[in-house]
Amino acid sequence: MYTGIFKETTKVTKKRKILLGFVIIIVGIVIFPKESNSYLDAENWIHTEFRDTYWQSIRTIEKTDAIVSDNLFYVNASNSETRQAYKDMKKSFKQEYVEKNDSVVNGEFKKVSRQIKEAKKLINESKSPWYLDHSLYKKGNKILNLQNKQLDLQLQMTKGYQTKGTNFFGKAFNIRREIEDIDSEIDKLLDEGNLLPY
């Protein structure tokens, strides 16, 4: 009787082990895709996903800077001294001044916020998985994380200008300095990792 029970228990245990083995393999395939720690794979990631995302982040900051600069003076009241000074500046540079209403200006600021959030999403999607620890992956991820911080600061600056206009100049100056400090850190990592040729 005990022998029969033992055999049945052994069969169940073997089936469970086989089932567990299949589950581990399936989970491994899902969680750990085909990327590897080989130099060639890491170099390929740097050449493609990392590089595209890195430059997209830079372009996003440049584009959103330009949009914010074109709209921040319109946040102040149309009869304010700041708005008048902006009109005079445009005139002195022989540039056309175009009046904008609040809905247009808010639409521009929302566009900026959307572009920054899209760039942040791209960074999160482009980072290499945590289990890949080749130095190229690590350095690339570190740079992308720093760019993510820059985009957070850019978003903070955008929202500040959207609500306070030129009254946000002081805080924006400090935020700009933080972004530039991160730029220096990124340049150092690019240089150390010899990633500039990529």
Side-chain angles (χ1 to χ4, degrees):
M1 186 176 109
Y2 290 113
T3 309
I5 293 169
F6 178 75
K7 283 180 180 177
E8 284 299 316
T9 306
T10 307
K11 281 181 186 176
V12 171
T13 305
K14 282 182 181 177
K15 284 179 182 176
R16 283 185 181 162
K17 282 183 180 177
I18 292 168
L19 184 62
L20 183 63
F22 278 123
V23 169
I24 289 169
I25 290 167
I26 291 166
V27 168
I29 291 167
V30 172
I31 295 178
F32 302 103
K34 62 182 179 181
E35 292 103 326
S36 77
N37 266 324
S38 76
Y39 175 76
L40 287 175
D41 286 338
E43 193 178 47
N44 181 56
W45 176 78
I46 286 286
H47 270 295
T48 54
E49 287 178 76
F50 169 80
R51 186 182 62 182
D52 293 345
T53 305
Y54 169 78
W55 287 112
Q56 181 59 40
S57 179
I58 289 173
R59 283 192 294 271
T60 298
I61 288 175
E62 287 172 352
K63 282 180 190 175
T64 55
D65 263 346
I67 296 169
V68 169
S69 296
D70 284 344
N71 288 280
L72 68 92
F73 288 96
Y74 292 100
V75 176
N76 300 87
S78 58
N79 60 351
S80 68
E81 289 179 16
T82 307
R83 185 81 75 93
Q84 187 56 50
Y86 181 61
K87 287 179 187 177
D88 294 341
M89 182 192 74
K90 283 277 195 181
K91 190 177 177 182
S92 67
F93 284 106
K94 296 181 179 175
Q95 294 175 348
E96 184 185 1
Y97 173 82
V98 180
E99 194 63 70
K100 294 182 184 179
N101 62 39
D102 291 346
S103 63
V104 170
V105 174
N106 280 327
E108 291 291 295
F109 278 109
K110 283 177 183 175
K111 178 182 173 185
V112 167
S113 296
R114 191 166 58 249
Q115 287 178 356
I116 293 170
K117 285 171 184 173
E118 283 169 3
K120 282 176 63 60
K121 185 182 175 191
L122 179 63
I123 285 175
N124 291 328
E125 289 172 351
S126 300
K127 283 193 287 188
S128 68
W130 60 269
Y131 54 85
L132 298 177
D133 60 0
H134 190 284
S135 61
L136 285 175
Y137 289 127
K138 283 187 169 182
K139 284 170 186 169
N141 277 351
K142 193 168 185 183
I143 289 166
L144 293 179
N145 285 333
L146 287 168
Q147 285 191 310
N148 221 344
K149 280 186 187 177
Q150 285 183 312
L151 290 165
D152 283 335
L153 290 165
Q154 187 78 356
L155 190 59
Q156 186 184 333
M157 189 164 58
T158 299
K159 288 180 176 177
Y161 276 134
Q162 185 177 6
T163 54
K164 297 180 180 177
T166 54
N167 294 327
F168 195 70
F169 272 151
K171 286 187 178 177
F173 177 77
N174 293 331
I175 292 170
R176 175 62 57 203
R177 282 179 65 181
E178 283 186 67
I179 291 172
E180 287 169 2
D181 287 344
I182 293 171
D183 264 336
S184 300
E185 200 176 337
I186 288 171
D187 288 343
K188 189 179 174 185
L189 285 167
L190 286 167
D191 193 37
E192 283 174 0
N194 198 27
L195 300 177
L196 291 172
Y198 294 103

